[in-house]
Amino acid sequence: MTENAQQQPTAPDTELPTQYAPADVEGPLYERWVERGYFAADAKSEKPPYTIVIPPPNVTGSLHLGHAFQHTLMDALTRRKRMQGFEALWLPGMDHAGIATQNKVEQQLAEEGKSRQDLGREEFVERVWQWKEEYGGKILGQMRRLGDGVDWSRERFTMDEGLSQAVQTIFKRLYDDELIYRAERIINWCPRCLTAISDIEVEYQEDDGELVSITYGEGDETLVVATTRAETMLGDTAVAVHPDDERYKHLVGKRIKLPLTDRTIPVVADTHVDPEFGTGAVKVTPAHDPNDFAIGQRHGLESITVMDERAVITVHGPFEGLDRFEARSAIVAALRSQGRIVAEKRPYVHSVGHCSRCSTTIEPRLSMQWWVKVGPLAKAAGDAVRDGRVRIHPEDMSKRYFDWVDNMHDWCISRQLWWGHRIPVWYGPEGEVVCVGPDEEPPSGEGWRQDTDVLDTWFSSGLWPFSTLGWPEQTADLRKFYPTDVLLTGHDIIFFWVARMMMFGLYAMDGEVPFKTIALTGLVRDERGKKMSKSFGNVVDPLDWMDKYGSDAVRFTLARGANPGTDVPIGEDWVQASRNFANKIWNATRFALMNGATIEGPLPSPSEMSATDRWILSRLNKTVVEVDAFYDDFQFAKLSDALYHFAWDEVFDWYVELSKTTFQAGGDSAEVSKRVLGEVLDVTLRLLHPVVPFVTDTLWTTLTGGESVVIADWPGDSGFRDEAAEREIETLQAVITEVRRFRADQGLQPGQRVPARLTLDGTDLAPHEAAIRQLLRLQPEGESFTATATLPVSGAEVALDLSGTIDVAAERKRLAKDLAAAEKEKAQATAKLGNEAFLAKAPDNVVDKIRGRLTKADEDIARIQAQLDRLPSA
């Protein structure tokens, strides 16, 4: 609790508008929270810390459903911990998003008829900063719309001065420890963005291509290879076969003619080749394929680059200057004219990598790049999970994590961009290489130049848990809030971001983990479980739903679908249902306030309470315990469901309704129930607050007169239990439910009053007779009462006089007709299922459908017969 929260509540203002209008409430309420400093964390506080750092969204981005989903869960965790008395820090920020941001500005320049080369590097970078200030960070405002309770005073950006110092510091340390090196390797290259890109920035899709089979060699020394990238054959430096493949043993070690060139290439034996796939012979192009590069390394093969950075052919006269796809067609045509094409398959559908930023087909390319030697770093990241210092939730996701960190390849960290953290390495005129730390002066003088590449965006975001807290300086924030408690993120980036943070955190912080728990979520999908994609036309802007239904409705829908590690289907109908829930909370609280619900004074003793009062308090405390357990296990769907059913079903539909007769009767019992209702609403609103913060804060402050539920105490278990009261009210619910069902079956209107005699002897229901009659619209029996239907329920008996309320003869006729139809359906289904010839031929799904029809017919017959039995004689 903050100092403000310790103030005594003022008398509540019980006036609430008749309807809840989220648009009128949410914006001003959020700004009030921020102005009052509720989300600001204090490094000097003696409270125990609780820290979450936000996965930094791209500066170019806007809030999508995936963001809204994860932010809702992180906000719920942080709000609860704040209410529990922790010094809770949820730290916000953005990623500079190298390629995406540079592309935005280059597109802007193109509209002006310019390129980045026209501006030069320094002026271009300045232009990007201008773009960032003017257009970047739109998502931050959208986070406010969602209700993110982040500490805005600590907002960070991966290119700000402090984080840039952290990047340079760790690069220097890794370089000095020989964990960063420069080498020529195969990388993913985007011919449009003109840079290497990471695996996470490659999106694979099924493309229509062509598979051609080509004869290599002459005379008796020939073999056939198949390829989807015929243009790369110009860079072939070998053909590989498996060492045990008898078909080609006579060729291993020999050189054969490479078509369309004046070169010969060797046939090599390598176990990488699968002799069962295709012809069992593969062309080897070390400069343009990662597997071929590895084969080339093992066999000392030459690497010949045949394309430039724009994927234009640079070798062999007839094809030089052609785009790779133009060259592909031209080379196949030339091979066909020589009779070397032995098979062609088109279209040949196969998986092809595309740049996630511009959709250009990726080109594997041999290139000189900077790399991180991940071996020792990855081992430390694996050990931290294996020895329990870091817990992965759900636990079954650990296997995916280990599969990655135990088999990680060295990481290419250089990018051929201008926007980003420039690699802090200088080259001298005599071949000198100097890595410069943040407190060192770079070498100067004639011939010295800095490396032109920048670092992969994931390099700086990998430092996020500690660089945002001031590292490499030993700040108060770092001492208080590191390690962070929970990293909550999607399972789709466990390999790319989570593993990098683990490696860097353990390295930079002397073996101290960056977070104690990795809570992995699924991905948001549409209501049919289909991936959301612009091409599918099923992408939803969460802001549209917030405008229409309110942020609480969107948040509750997302939380209610959040099972750990499992994808989350979401549809507009579900958001509407959550909006209805928010309205239900509003209306029920408004009713309670109008009827005197209060939190003033201590709770009455159990001896002063009715069974209904004791029942709801017992259920309330069980719900507190249940919700706490679900929070601690990151079971957001289950805790949301528990709160939904407790609030709607037990508090609003049962306790409030059962209390109406008490309120109407007045007296001491009414005063007791008003205090109990106030207590139940107070605790329920606090339990709901982390997930639906806006409506709960508005209602809680009105109910209690407190400053804000944001800084209220999280409910604890009072220990109160009353199993006898719970059984008593369960019996009461069973009686009311059964009579309501019977009334509906007989076609009675909900408000239609029916004379009834209640026999409650031998049960605990006698004190509830008034409530039973009110809820079931049952009149006193009167002198002319005739029991035309009798319902024995849970030891009680409810006799109804339906004469004058329904036409018994007509109702019997209607039910008889329905019964005949159900019996006919049963006979037909039974006959089919008894026909052996039919069963032998019919598909399983058809047979299952008929079995389902038989089951339903049996259920219908039992239901209709019960209704007939209950009707009075005609």
Side-chain angles (χ1 to χ4, degrees):
M1 294 286 285
T2 67
E3 187 175 303
N4 287 335
Q6 300 292 347
Q7 298 172 1
Q8 290 298 313
T10 59
D13 176 6
T14 57
E15 291 298 318
L16 284 170
T18 55
Q19 290 185 320
Y20 177 51
D24 297 338
V25 170
E26 293 176 350
L29 183 55
Y30 185 84
E31 293 309 316
R32 188 154 65 248
W33 291 337
V34 174
E35 288 166 7
R36 292 178 176 176
Y38 294 158
F39 306 139
D42 183 1
K44 297 177 182 178
S45 167
E46 294 183 1
K47 298 177 185 177
Y50 182 82
T51 316
I52 295 180
V53 291
I54 203 165
N58 286 353
V59 66
T60 59
S62 59
L63 191 76
H64 57 63
L65 271 176
H67 290 130
F69 172 54
Q70 291 182 2
H71 287 207
T72 293
L73 306 187
M74 285 184 277
D75 195 30
L77 290 172
T78 312
R79 285 177 183 269
R80 172 176 173 257
K81 285 295 182 180
R82 187 178 292 115
M83 295 172 75
Q84 286 181 317
F86 286 78
E87 194 62 36
L89 169 61
W90 186 20
L91 193 147
M94 291 184 299
D95 192 284
H96 65 279
I99 294 177
T101 309
Q102 180 158 318
N103 279 350
K104 288 278 187 185
V105 179
E106 288 200 79
Q107 289 165 12
Q108 199 177 62
L109 287 173
E111 292 170 4
E112 301 170 13
K114 299 177 183 178
S115 69
R116 61 175 161 134
Q117 285 76 18
D118 293 331
L119 271 64
R121 183 169 194 143
E122 188 174 332
E123 189 177 342
F124 176 78
V125 171
E126 179 58 34
R127 180 71 176 259
V128 180
W129 277 109
Q130 291 172 10
W131 181 93
K132 185 257 183 187
E133 294 304 316
E134 188 172 354
Y135 301 105
K138 181 171 74 170
I139 192 171
L140 299 179
Q142 296 168 340
M143 287 162 55
R144 300 171 92 94
R145 282 286 313 277
L146 186 66
D148 283 9
V150 297
D151 185 346
W152 291 111
S153 69
R154 285 179 166 83
E155 179 192 332
R156 303 306 299 267
F157 179 55
T158 49
M159 287 282 286
D160 69 28
E161 184 178 351
L163 269 67
S164 295
Q165 182 185 21
V167 167
Q168 195 172 352
T169 299
I170 200 163
F171 187 99
K172 171 70 171 172
R173 291 188 186 179
L174 288 164
Y175 181 87
D176 289 347
D177 287 344
E178 298 184 349
L179 293 173
I180 281 183
Y181 63 94
R182 195 165 182 245
E184 198 173 39
R185 299 274 181 84
I186 292 285
I187 43 85
N188 300 308
W189 181 266
C190 176
R192 157 63 183 76
C193 297
L194 300 180
T195 181
I197 66 173
S198 65
D199 292 338
I200 188 86
E201 292 162 326
V202 179
E203 292 183 349
Y204 288 89
Q205 62 189 49
E206 297 296 307
D207 284 0
D208 287 346
E210 60 180 349
L211 180 68
V212 293
S213 298
I214 308 166
T215 301
Y216 279 30
E218 302 285 356
D220 294 334
E221 297 182 347
T222 63
L223 37 68
V224 175
V225 300
T227 181
T228 59
R229 300 165 67 216
E231 68 280 7
T232 63
M233 69 166 291
L234 301 176
D236 285 359
T237 55
V239 173
V241 297
H242 194 275
D244 299 331
D245 195 331
E246 293 293 337
R247 294 171 295 176
Y248 303 118
K249 279 200 171 181
H250 67 290
L251 292 176
V252 173
K254 293 186 177 181
R255 301 185 69 88
I256 61 173
K257 169 77 172 166
L258 177 65
L260 304 182
T261 72
D262 56 4
R263 291 193 291 120
T264 60
I265 56 176
V267 178
V268 299
D270 196 280
T271 54
H272 170 76
V273 180
D274 180 0
E276 304 298 322
F277 183 77
T279 63
V282 297
K283 59 191 286 300
V284 181
T285 321
H288 292 278
D289 183 274
N291 293 321
D292 293 2
F293 178 79
I295 293 174
Q297 293 285 294
R298 287 194 289 272
H299 296 276
L301 301 176
E302 183 183 5
S303 294
I304 301 174
T305 299
V306 299
M307 291 178 228
D308 67 12
E309 60 184 10
R310 298 183 185 276
V312 172
I313 301 298
T314 57
V315 297
H316 201 70
F319 311 110
E320 190 172 354
L322 294 180
D323 169 82
R324 56 183 163 165
F325 300 121
E326 296 172 336
R328 183 176 298 172
S329 298
I331 286 170
V332 170
L335 291 167
R336 192 184 297 114
S337 69
Q338 293 184 6
R340 287 189 175 272
I341 302 292
V342 297
E344 296 181 66
K345 184 177 181 181
R346 70 169 65 83
Y348 178 72
V349 179
H350 62 135
S351 181
V352 177
H354 294 258
C355 175
S356 63
R357 304 299 177 192
C358 66
S359 299
T360 301
T361 301
I362 290 303
E363 190 64 44
R365 186 170 189 259
L366 185 63
S367 180
M368 181 67 75
Q369 302 285 345
W370 286 94
W371 303 81
V372 171
K373 186 184 296 183
V374 299
L377 302 174
K379 181 181 184 304
D383 290 346
V385 175
R386 286 190 171 93
D387 64 24
R389 283 176 288 155
V390 177
R391 176 173 72 110
I392 292 181
H393 189 280
E395 190 177 348
D396 58 10
M397 286 283 178
S398 297
K399 183 180 183 302
R400 296 181 64 186
Y401 176 80
F402 292 132
D403 285 347
W404 178 253
V405 297
D406 292 348
N407 301 285
M408 194 182 294
H409 300 295
D410 284 1
W411 169 22
C412 176
I413 55 172
S414 46
R415 298 291 179 267
Q416 290 64 54
L417 302 171
W418 286 357
W419 172 245
H421 296 102
R422 196 162 173 183
I423 288 176
V425 170
W426 271 255
Y427 305 105
E430 303 300 325
E432 303 97 327
V433 179
V434 177
C435 180
V436 178
D439 300 322
E440 301 171 347
E441 287 293 324
S444 59
E446 187 176 348
W448 283 93
R449 59 184 177 83
Q450 186 178 358
D451 195 298
T452 57
D453 288 352
V454 300
L455 287 163
D456 177 12
T457 297
W458 295 100
F459 190 94
S460 51
S461 61
L463 315 182
W464 192 251
F466 52 93
S467 63
T468 51
L469 297 172
W471 186 90
E473 302 300 324
Q474 291 303 307
T475 63
D477 278 358
L478 195 64
R479 288 191 295 271
K480 176 73 173 179
F481 297 112
Y482 189 91
T484 67
D485 286 85
V486 177
L487 171 72
L488 190 144
T489 191
H491 63 65
D492 55 324
I493 60 171
I494 188 174
F495 314 128
F496 308 107
W497 188 47
V498 177
R500 281 153 171 64
M501 285 189 290
M502 285 284 283
M503 291 191 301
F504 280 168
L506 289 160
Y507 174 80
M509 298 300 293
D510 299 321
E512 195 168 17
V513 297
F515 23 74
K516 299 164 191 171
T517 300
I518 301 168
L520 296 170
T521 71
L523 309 180
V524 179
R525 297 182 177 272
D526 71 13
E527 63 266 34
R528 297 179 183 84
K530 193 173 184 180
K531 180 182 178 181
M532 286 192 175
S533 165
K534 289 179 181 177
S535 60
F536 296 153
N538 62 350
V539 173
V540 173
D541 184 345
L543 296 167
D544 291 341
W545 280 351
M546 287 184 218
D547 290 340
K548 199 169 180 181
Y549 305 110
S551 297
D552 282 334
V554 174
R555 290 171 61 113
F556 192 73
T557 304
L558 291 165
R560 205 172 178 195
N563 290 298
T566 304
D567 288 349
V568 183
I570 185 172
E572 188 166 2
D573 288 351
W574 305 336
V575 186
Q576 289 176 349
S578 295
R579 186 268 316 273
N580 295 343
F581 180 49
N583 289 342
K584 184 77 170 181
I585 300 169
W586 182 272
N587 293 333
T589 305
R590 185 170 178 272
F591 166 84
L593 290 168
M594 291 170 62
N595 283 274
T598 180
I599 64 159
E600 292 183 7
L603 269 177
S605 67
S607 63
E608 298 175 83
M609 297 179 190
S610 68
T612 310
D613 295 331
R614 298 194 306 276
W615 161 73
I616 197 63
L617 288 175
S618 184
R619 287 294 307 126
L620 174 68
N621 281 290
K622 287 183 177 179
T623 301
V624 168
V625 172
E626 187 177 30
V627 168
D628 272 334
F630 287 144
Y631 261 116
D632 292 341
D633 199 35
F634 304 99
Q635 297 283 356
F636 295 98
K638 290 181 179 178
L639 73 87
S640 299
D641 233 31
L643 286 170
Y644 175 90
H645 288 295
F646 175 72
W648 192 310
D649 299 347
E650 298 187 88
V651 179
F652 305 146
D653 278 0
W654 283 108
Y655 183 70
V656 169
E657 292 300 316
L658 289 169
S659 298
K660 284 180 178 178
T661 53
T662 307
F663 293 152
Q664 289 167 2
D668 291 343
S669 295
E671 295 307 311
V672 169
S673 290
K674 289 175 185 178
R675 180 63 186 88
V676 170
L677 179 53
E679 182 76 10
V680 171
L681 288 174
D682 170 23
V683 174
T684 302
L685 291 170
R686 283 187 280 150
L687 288 173
L688 283 165
H689 172 72
V691 180
V692 282
F694 294 105
V695 68
T696 51
D697 194 43
T698 306
L699 294 173
W700 187 86
T701 53
T702 304
L703 170 70
T704 67
E707 182 181 326
S708 174
V709 72
V710 177
I711 52 173
D713 289 334
W714 180 252
D717 176 16
S718 72
F720 179 80
R721 300 287 189 278
D722 194 325
E723 302 297 340
E726 289 195 43
R727 288 192 297 272
E728 182 174 326
I729 301 306
E730 285 171 8
T731 303
L732 174 62
Q733 290 171 327
V735 171
I736 292 172
T737 301
E738 183 60 26
V739 177
R740 279 177 173 167
R741 184 182 296 118
F742 175 74
R743 286 177 58 108
D745 287 345
Q746 304 310 314
L748 296 175
Q749 295 301 313
Q752 189 172 354
R753 293 198 166 274
V754 178
R757 181 177 63 241
L758 304 184
T759 304
L760 306 176
D761 298 341
T763 73
D764 296 320
L765 300 182
H768 303 287
E769 180 168 351
I772 294 171
R773 286 189 178 277
Q774 180 166 315
L775 291 175
L776 292 173
R777 306 295 190 268
L778 303 180
Q779 297 175 185
E781 50 204 272
E783 293 182 7
S784 60
F785 178 82
T786 303
T788 58
T790 301
L791 304 175
V793 187
S794 301
E797 186 176 273
V798 180
L800 303 174
D801 184 353
L802 300 180
S803 59
T805 59
I806 61 172
D807 184 336
V808 176
E811 185 65 11
R812 280 193 173 277
K813 185 175 180 181
R814 181 185 72 80
L815 289 171
K817 183 178 178 182
D818 290 347
L819 183 61
E823 288 173 338
K824 181 179 179 182
E825 174 74 2
K826 177 179 180 177
Q828 290 175 342
T830 301
K832 283 191 174 182
L833 293 173
N835 184 334
E836 294 296 334
F838 169 77
L839 293 176
K841 295 179 181 178
D844 290 344
N845 65 315
V846 173
V847 175
D848 288 343
K849 189 174 180 180
I850 293 170
R851 288 195 180 109
R853 283 169 50 192
L854 178 59
T855 300
K856 185 176 184 305
D858 282 333
E859 291 171 352
D860 288 345
I861 290 168
R863 176 179 54 81
I864 297 166
Q865 191 60 59
Q867 290 176 243
L868 282 167
D869 292 343
R870 288 171 175 168
L871 280 175
S873 302

